[in-house]
Amino acid sequence: IIRKRIKQSIYQSLSGDRAGLMLGILIGDTTGISEDLQDDFGKTGLTHILAVSGLNVGMLLLICLGFLRFLGVKLHLQCLLTTLVIILYTLITRSEPSVLRASIMAIFGLGAWLLGKEKNLMAAISLAALALLIYDPFSLYNVGFQLSFAATLAIIFLNPILEKRLEAVPPRLRGDLSICLAAQLGVAPLLVYYFNQISLISLLANMLVIPANAPVLTL
């Protein structure tokens, strides 16, 4: 019902590819986007913008925690309510592998934060993979599953190395650049294998679009 209401609301305010693009960003519904526009996003390495991913879940996590903290809600209630919102959002987006991976990691992280434990990204992503494969072992052959985990693992392992190598880059850009580059390197072999193409401007396109995507999603 909520998913239907979201679509109705967007189509009342926007039309054509604008409405389709907003639905893609918010709930991963690309049915309203023309083939030409989807092809353009593919050529520039921005297809992930049209699919709900870890970026969406991460932004939702920050929005909820920030709002609840502003209201003065206690820590344990912040974690509980944010967890419920993440679960609801996962259901609204029809539980795509990338969303499930990010949601499990986010809930795992909230639990660790609540208990005062040190964050462990490898433990979180391993738990997410185990949970998804127990639920559906054939997820392993899902392209979205493979791309999501490849990008996340690349960020975990390559990002610290790339940040050190990019010392000449201004600090404000270094973090975003190293994360984007790590993710691109992680998914590049899969993009070549499945789609027989790789975008030469993908890194630049992502550096420009991802910062703009965050406030759009927030609003």
Side-chain angles (χ1 to χ4, degrees):
I1 295 174
I2 296 175
R3 184 182 176 93
K4 184 177 180 181
R5 290 293 298 273
I6 289 173
K7 294 180 71 171
Q8 289 175 344
S9 177
I10 288 175
Y11 278 118
Q12 286 173 0
S13 306
L14 302 170
S15 60
D17 280 334
R18 294 180 184 179
L21 183 58
M22 182 59 81
L23 283 171
I25 292 172
L26 287 179
I27 59 175
D29 185 340
T30 60
T31 55
I33 304 176
S34 66
E35 290 186 8
D36 289 339
L37 186 58
Q38 290 196 49
D39 188 50
D40 288 340
F41 271 79
K43 288 177 180 177
T44 50
L46 294 171
T47 305
H48 65 93
I49 296 295
L50 307 179
V52 178
S53 63
L55 174 64
N56 301 60
V57 177
M59 286 302 303
L60 186 64
L61 178 72
L62 293 175
I63 293 166
C64 289
L65 289 177
F67 180 68
L68 293 171
R69 186 176 298 176
F70 174 76
L71 294 177
V73 177
K74 293 183 179 180
L75 179 60
H76 66 282
L77 278 178
Q78 288 183 34
C79 294
L80 175 60
L81 293 173
T82 302
T83 297
L84 293 175
V85 170
I86 289 173
I87 292 172
L88 177 62
Y89 185 67
T90 302
L91 296 174
I92 291 172
T93 56
R94 295 183 175 173
S95 305
E96 291 293 330
S98 58
V99 185
L100 283 170
R101 188 270 308 160
S103 297
I104 292 170
M105 291 184 69
I107 294 170
F108 184 85
L110 284 170
W113 182 44
L114 181 61
L115 296 173
K117 302 293 184 180
E118 187 176 348
K119 65 179 181 180
N120 188 322
L121 293 177
M122 277 308 300
I125 195 172
S126 299
L127 177 65
L130 180 62
L132 288 176
L133 292 174
I134 289 175
Y135 175 72
D136 180 10
F138 290 98
S139 294
L140 186 62
Y141 302 101
N142 182 287
V143 179
F145 177 97
Q146 295 175 17
L147 289 172
S148 179
F149 278 91
T152 307
L153 287 170
I155 290 172
I156 292 172
F157 289 110
L158 295 181
N159 182 50
I161 299 172
L162 292 172
E163 260 195 299
K164 291 181 180 179
R165 297 295 179 90
L166 296 172
E167 290 181 351
V169 179
R172 288 186 178 182
L173 293 176
R174 190 185 308 153
D176 292 340
L177 179 60
S178 62
I179 289 174
C180 284
L181 183 56
Q184 292 299 310
L185 290 173
V187 301
L190 292 171
L191 293 176
V192 172
Y193 179 77
Y194 285 112
F195 306 110
N196 299 315
Q197 67 177 17
I198 190 166
S199 174
L200 297 178
I201 63 168
S202 178
L203 181 61
L204 176 60
N206 276 278
M207 286 289 292
L208 293 172
V209 171
I210 288 179
N213 189 50
V216 168
L217 183 62
T218 304
L219 292 171

